[in-house]
Amino acid sequence: MQQKQIVKVAVADTNYGFDRAFDYALPGWEADAGANYSIKVAPVPGCRVLVPFGNGNRKRIALILSYGDYDKNVIYKEISGVIDDVPAISAEGLMLINRLKETTFCTYFDACKLFLPASFNVKLKTRYKVNAERFEALHSLMSDDDIKAVLQVEKTGNYSGDNLKYLLSENIIYPEEYITKKEKTEKIVRLTDEYREGRLKYAFTNDKTRKTVEHLGNSPDITDKELINLFGITSASLRTLQKRGVIDMLTAAKGLLVAGSVTGSVAGAVSNFDNPLRLSEEQRTAADGILSLIRNGKPSASLLFGVTGSGKTAVFTELIVKVLSSGKTAILLVPEIALTPQLIKRFTEIFGNAVSCLHSGLSVSRRGEEYARIRAGHCKLLIGTRSAVFAPIENIGLIIIDEEQERTFVSEMSPRYDAKEIAKMRCVYHNAALVLASATPSVESYHFAKIGRYNLFTLKKRFAEAVLPEVNIVDVAADGYYNDSQNLSCTLVSEINDNLARKEQTILLLNRRGFNTIITCRSCKQTIMCPNCSVALTYHKSAGKLRCHWCGYVREEATVCPSCGSEYLNFIGTGTEKIESEIAELFPSARVLRLDADTIGSRGNYEELFKAYSRGDYDILLGTQMVAKGLDFPNVTLVGVISVDSALYAGDYRSYERTFSLLTQVAGRGGRGGKPGRAVIQTFNPHHYILKLAASQNFPDFFGEEIGNRKLLLYPPFCDLYVVEFTGSDDGKTAAAAAAFASLIRAAVNDKIKLTKEKIPLILLGPSKCIRERINNKFRYKLIIKCKSNGAFRSLLSDTYKKTFTERVFDRITVSIASNGDASM
């Protein structure tokens, strides 16, 4: 007896309420019952295919998740086409997709998109073809316009005229769906058999050509671009070698090249590497402890907790060198794109072209190229931001997450994943070590380290006996602002003057961009708001515009009040642009570099700007939080925080944690090059305990205060937390949908308790309006769920979420769920 092979597929463009693994048969590939289908059947799990879907059997792109069981009583639809000859997503990736669907409440295909760069995407398009028999049969009855339309379809495959419906209904033309797939190619270079076997001699004219050919003799295939980067040989020289019969240059699909030559270069680089930063006793103890966990060959998680400037990067280097020299690979994740250039430079000097970089600042084509190198096995060390955790790097031995406390590791778009959780899953899969590192770890991570869930390694001293910066908390109400300045205290101005006189550099932090953040009318007291959001417009003086930083709305600079027409406007609030203006007035000879989203640009030129600052081309670096962490400038001896008070009262249970971290990190940028550092923190609350603990970099005492508050008020790590957000264009309907969801979840929990007789811990807060209740003309409500996030509760929450796609109260309401999300929103 023969039976069809069944596969379970995830179908693109389905909503969460309908999304599941659908069963399809593989046409033309049959095997005897009980046969090993994974060997005898293609395509395999991880391949993308085309399937007929829905009542109309329109073609959809789908991903094969797994093989299924054949049921002779079921009539199966058959897969209609194959997109990938080899799996686009690995077995590990498929495991992660299933886990993402369960934990982030996304569709299978939304999770799938995380694993493939945009350049690897495929599109399903429609073209028309002529039914020759029908056309001939009806030709005499057709109008001239109909005949012209058919001839156009025959020539181009496209048509959108008024008579399209008639031609389709009479089956004169019919639609055909097809895949568009951009497949990039590259030149692969190898020695010819004649030269390799000594039957051809060649006289080299320069060292670059000789070294290139020698390298080819000791390595497998390599691309022309890699040879150009490695040895400086030109394309013209390669073509000459090809003409003389020394090399062959073949065209192949990008990313299919094996990477033996790169592995060799890594081994050579590692064996010759002598770490110039000799590890201190503390660093050596931490490195050896983590290496012993790696050598155990079992998954592990460690927290590397060290004060700013303690040399955590030197420990990273030691760990990565040892892991790569053992033949395994490593991933290093950082929270900001701005932190990648320094790390790329450092590790490229050690490992050469075996280092890859992935982040959203790269162009689509560049991301595709990096992805292809990683997939082909060229990459041994991957450095990147959050999304790099999904890269198809194999044989992982180590994943490091630097500044692990940062919320940028959590996606704000669906799927709302946490890169730390994905890294844990990958470490379990590969039996690898996870290292979380920070001077200000998250409360949850430090708690897990204290109770033994994570291994704890501590660096209490700055490297090379450098001292922590001296921190001065300035009460601006008492100290006063300098002359006509509205934002710089007398103390801070004096410190900047001293630094300029000593030719030392200064970093100033203000986590708001623009010139003025609020414009109010003195006559009617109204604030100029964004017409689409419940947010005040920010004044950008250099552009002469008012901008909304939430929806992107832009209008011309206001000269009169839009509400009453009064000319008496009050410009209040301060952004980085205004501070830059004040610095120019106070220190006319100072060279100022401002770094924020307005000056960086869409692609980001931060790398060149940081290099310029490091060279000493600028005296003062002014910016938002991108200048606060991870950067190392030896000549920076002064750090100034313009305003910190708004961060303390952000309305979120993490506001103290974030403020402590930001102040500790930015103060730690000073005094890293042997010179003593100072930090000035301006505030109207100089006696606040968070500021005092941050000034002394006393994380243990901060943790003691914070963990007590979390336990008392029941916040993570003592519970799991979900934030359900509801958005809609009608305020009343959005509020009703939020209330309905809360009722559904309560009813589901009560039914579960009655059925199982088991307690389900649950606290619902809300629903209530979000702090910014309207964004882009959508009203926003939130429901906070405190619970124990086990499989049973996630299943219950998933079933409730699915009802939002079928029940009328949720019509035209968007519902999203975030795990451990921002409770303030």
Side-chain angles (χ1 to χ4, degrees):
M1 175 185 176
Q2 286 192 328
Q3 62 185 40
K4 290 182 179 292
Q5 171 62 66
I6 306 304
V7 290
K8 292 184 175 293
V9 306
V11 179
D13 302 322
T14 57
N15 65 44
Y16 185 82
F18 193 65
D19 186 56
R20 60 183 174 85
F22 296 92
D23 289 337
Y24 281 83
L26 291 175
W29 295 292
E30 295 184 343
D32 292 337
N36 187 339
Y37 299 126
S38 63
I39 294 174
K40 295 190 176 184
V41 177
V44 298
C47 290
R48 291 170 295 178
V49 293
L50 289 180
V51 297
F53 191 71
N55 293 332
N57 285 327
R58 293 293 301 271
K59 287 189 177 68
R60 293 270 191 98
I61 297 170
L63 174 73
I64 299 180
L65 299 172
S66 65
Y67 294 113
D69 296 324
Y70 176 77
D71 185 343
K72 64 181 180 180
N73 297 314
V74 175
I75 299 175
Y76 295 96
K77 293 181 181 181
E78 293 185 341
I79 285 173
S80 56
V82 178
I83 298 172
D84 301 307
D85 295 327
V86 295
I89 296 177
S90 67
E92 180 191 10
L94 294 175
M95 177 274 293
L96 292 172
I97 286 173
N98 280 286
R99 187 65 174 161
L100 282 163
K101 178 173 172 61
E102 179 196 351
T103 58
T104 69
F105 307 97
C106 67
T107 66
Y108 280 117
F109 230 82
D110 281 343
C112 170
K113 291 174 184 176
L114 295 171
F115 293 84
L116 297 174
S119 59
F120 277 64
N121 288 345
V122 295
K123 291 184 179 180
L124 187 60
K125 293 188 175 182
T126 301
R127 61 189 168 203
Y128 296 103
K129 288 200 167 185
V130 177
N131 184 335
E133 291 183 4
R134 289 288 293 169
F135 182 39
E136 183 178 352
L138 299 176
H139 186 277
S140 61
L141 304 176
M142 295 170 61
S143 68
D144 290 344
D145 287 342
D146 291 340
I147 293 172
K148 287 180 181 178
V150 173
L151 294 176
Q152 181 181 336
V153 168
E154 194 171 41
K155 184 177 181 180
T156 66
N158 298 315
Y159 187 67
S160 58
D162 295 336
N163 49 355
L164 177 63
K165 188 174 181 180
Y166 161 73
L167 296 174
L168 288 170
S169 65
E170 293 293 336
N171 197 26
I172 298 169
I173 65 174
Y174 59 93
E176 181 184 70
E177 289 159 319
Y178 66 101
I179 286 291
T180 60
K181 184 177 179 182
K182 291 184 178 179
E183 185 171 67
K184 296 188 175 182
T185 60
E186 59 190 352
K187 295 287 187 182
I188 297 175
V189 183
R190 62 179 61 156
L191 292 180
T192 62
D193 291 340
E194 289 81 1
Y195 185 84
R196 188 183 296 275
E197 294 168 5
R199 289 183 279 123
L200 173 71
K201 302 297 181 182
Y202 182 75
F204 297 104
T205 57
N206 58 68
D207 283 344
K208 291 180 180 179
T209 305
R210 179 181 53 77
K211 288 179 179 178
T212 299
V213 174
E214 286 177 355
H215 182 79
L216 289 170
N218 297 319
S219 69
D221 302 339
I222 189 170
T223 68
D224 57 340
K225 288 185 177 179
E226 288 173 310
L227 289 172
I228 291 168
N229 291 334
L230 280 172
F231 303 106
I233 191 171
T234 64
S235 298
S237 297
L238 288 174
R239 288 194 295 271
T240 299
L241 290 173
Q242 184 182 23
K243 289 177 182 178
R244 299 294 175 85
V246 178
I247 64 172
D248 284 326
M249 295 177 66
L250 310 174
T251 301
K254 182 169 284 191
L256 298 182
L257 186 61
V258 295
S261 59
V262 179
T263 305
S265 66
V266 171
V270 171
S271 63
N272 295 326
F273 175 66
D274 184 22
N275 193 344
L277 294 175
R278 299 296 179 185
L279 300 185
S280 67
E281 185 178 344
E282 275 190 333
Q283 290 172 322
R284 174 52 59 194
T285 299
D288 288 347
I290 297 170
L291 286 170
S292 68
L293 295 171
I294 294 172
R295 283 191 288 268
N296 282 341
K298 297 179 181 179
S300 64
S302 302
L303 175 63
L304 180 61
F305 167 49
V307 298
T308 56
S310 58
K312 292 183 287 294
T313 305
V315 176
F316 298 167
T317 304
E318 180 75 3
L319 297 176
I320 292 169
V321 166
K322 292 292 192 294
V323 167
L324 268 62
S325 63
S326 71
K328 291 185 176 291
T329 62
I331 300 175
L332 172 56
L333 300 182
V334 294
E336 301 274 356
I337 295 173
L339 300 180
T340 57
Q342 288 186 344
L343 292 170
I344 289 290
K345 180 178 182 298
R346 178 187 182 92
F347 287 107
T348 300
E349 289 173 353
I350 304 171
F351 304 118
N353 68 336
V355 180
S356 286
C357 178
L358 277 181
H359 57 69
S360 60
L362 301 177
S363 65
V364 171
S365 60
R366 173 72 189 283
R367 280 178 68 87
E369 289 174 5
E370 290 293 287
Y371 173 88
R373 290 186 67 248
I374 296 165
R375 186 177 177 182
H378 288 252
C379 170
K380 302 304 171 187
L381 170 61
L382 173 61
I383 298 173
T385 50
R386 156 182 92 217
S387 60
V389 76
F390 295 105
I393 190 167
E394 297 292 340
N395 197 24
I396 298 171
L398 173 68
I399 299 179
I400 299 172
I401 302 183
D402 195 17
E403 308 296 354
E404 64 87 24
Q405 80 284 355
E406 291 297 326
R407 292 296 293 172
T408 49
F409 287 118
V410 180
S411 173
E412 295 180 350
M413 304 292 289
S414 181
R416 301 187 181 211
Y417 66 90
D418 185 339
K420 287 192 287 187
E421 296 303 313
I422 303 300
K424 289 177 186 177
M425 297 177 204
R426 298 203 71 178
C427 285
V428 170
Y429 187 89
H430 290 274
N431 288 316
L434 173 66
V435 176
L436 308 175
S438 181
T440 55
S442 67
V443 170
E444 292 90 336
S445 292
Y446 196 73
H447 172 72
F448 293 148
K450 295 292 284 185
I451 65 174
R453 187 181 298 184
Y454 297 164
N455 301 284
L456 179 61
F457 300 94
T458 305
L459 305 177
K460 298 180 180 179
K461 301 175 183 177
R462 277 196 153 188
F463 184 73
E465 300 184 356
V467 296
L468 290 169
E470 178 187 340
V471 180
N472 185 0
I473 301 175
V474 175
D475 182 356
V476 291
D479 192 66
Y481 292 119
Y482 183 83
N483 290 344
D484 295 329
S485 172
Q486 298 176 5
N487 297 284
L488 303 181
S489 65
C490 296
T491 299
L492 183 54
V493 169
S494 175
E495 292 285 0
I496 294 173
N497 268 319
D498 289 346
N499 246 34
L500 291 171
R502 290 195 292 263
K503 299 188 182 302
E504 295 171 356
Q505 291 174 302
T506 300
I507 292 178
L508 298 178
L509 169 71
L510 179 63
N511 209 18
R512 289 193 301 269
R513 57 192 175 99
F515 197 87
N516 295 109
T517 54
I518 299 175
I519 304 172
T520 61
C521 176
R522 298 179 185 177
S523 299
C524 69
K525 313 303 181 188
Q526 293 294 312
T527 298
I528 300 181
M529 304 290 288
C530 172
N532 308 319
C533 311
S534 54
V535 175
L537 291 174
T538 299
Y539 175 43
H540 290 254
K541 186 176 182 179
S542 60
K545 306 286 185 182
L546 300 182
R547 299 181 185 273
C548 175
H549 292 170
W550 288 86
C551 74
Y553 171 82
V554 181
R555 58 158 288 180
E556 295 297 321
E557 177 181 348
T559 55
V560 297
C561 173
S563 298
C564 69
S566 171
E567 297 179 356
Y568 299 102
L569 299 177
N570 193 22
F571 291 75
I572 57 179
T574 299
T576 51
E577 190 181 3
K578 186 174 183 181
I579 297 296
E580 182 182 32
S581 175
E582 289 189 14
I583 292 172
E585 293 179 12
L586 293 169
F587 314 102
S589 62
R591 300 163 297 170
V592 182
L593 172 61
R594 175 163 66 95
L595 284 183
D596 55 33
D598 297 325
T599 61
I600 288 295
S602 60
R603 282 288 163 218
N605 57 342
Y606 45 82
E607 183 172 357
E608 292 304 318
L609 294 175
F610 282 143
K611 284 181 180 178
Y613 186 69
S614 184
R615 287 194 305 265
D617 295 352
Y618 297 95
D619 303 306
I620 299 174
L621 173 60
L622 165 66
T624 51
Q625 64 179 3
M626 67 175 68
V627 306
K629 48 191 173 286
L631 300 173
D632 191 353
F633 300 115
N635 199 37
V636 171
T637 56
L638 174 64
V639 172
V641 180
I642 308 298
S643 175
V644 71
D645 297 332
S646 61
L648 280 170
Y649 307 107
D652 178 25
Y653 75 93
R654 292 192 184 93
S655 58
Y656 282 4
E657 179 182 355
R658 283 198 293 257
T659 304
F660 178 89
S661 176
L662 185 65
L663 293 178
T664 302
Q665 293 284 350
V666 72
R669 298 312 102 202
R672 300 170 74 91
K675 302 174 184 176
R678 299 108 61 216
V680 175
I681 300 173
Q682 298 185 161
T683 178
F684 286 96
N685 300 278
H687 303 297
H688 199 292
Y689 78 93
I690 293 294
L691 303 186
K692 291 184 176 181
L693 291 173
S696 60
Q697 295 208 13
N698 191 342
F699 181 84
D701 281 3
F702 162 75
F703 172 79
E705 291 280 349
E706 189 68 10
I707 200 69
N709 292 336
R710 299 275 184 97
K711 189 173 185 178
L712 179 66
L713 299 174
L714 195 61
Y715 277 102
F718 300 104
C719 74
D720 295 302
L721 186 138
Y722 287 99
V723 178
V724 188
E725 183 182 358
F726 308 85
T727 60
S729 55
D730 184 283
D731 189 14
K733 291 181 178 179
T734 308
F741 190 94
S743 297
L744 286 172
I745 199 73
R746 287 192 186 97
V749 169
N750 290 333
D751 290 345
K752 188 77 171 178
I753 292 173
K754 290 177 183 177
L755 184 65
T756 63
K757 308 299 182 184
E758 295 178 1
K759 286 190 67 175
I760 299 179
L762 179 74
I763 297 175
L764 299 184
L765 303 179
S768 61
K769 285 188 174 183
C770 298
I771 291 177
R772 298 170 187 86
E773 61 184 64
R774 187 169 59 97
I775 297 294
N776 207 11
N777 285 320
K778 298 289 186 182
F779 292 91
R780 304 163 69 237
Y781 285 77
K782 66 180 178 183
L783 174 68
I784 299 174
I785 303 175
K786 295 181 178 181
C787 61
K788 181 174 179 58
S789 180
N790 51 27
F793 182 80
R794 287 195 298 270
S795 177
L796 183 149
L797 184 56
S798 174
D799 291 342
T800 305
Y801 183 32
K802 288 176 181 177
K803 292 178 181 178
T804 67
F805 293 91
T806 57
E807 299 199 5
R808 290 192 63 183
V809 69
F810 298 101
D811 188 32
R812 298 187 181 181
I813 303 296
T814 300
V815 182
S816 60
I817 303 175
S819 173
N820 289 328
D822 187 346
S824 65
M825 296 177 64

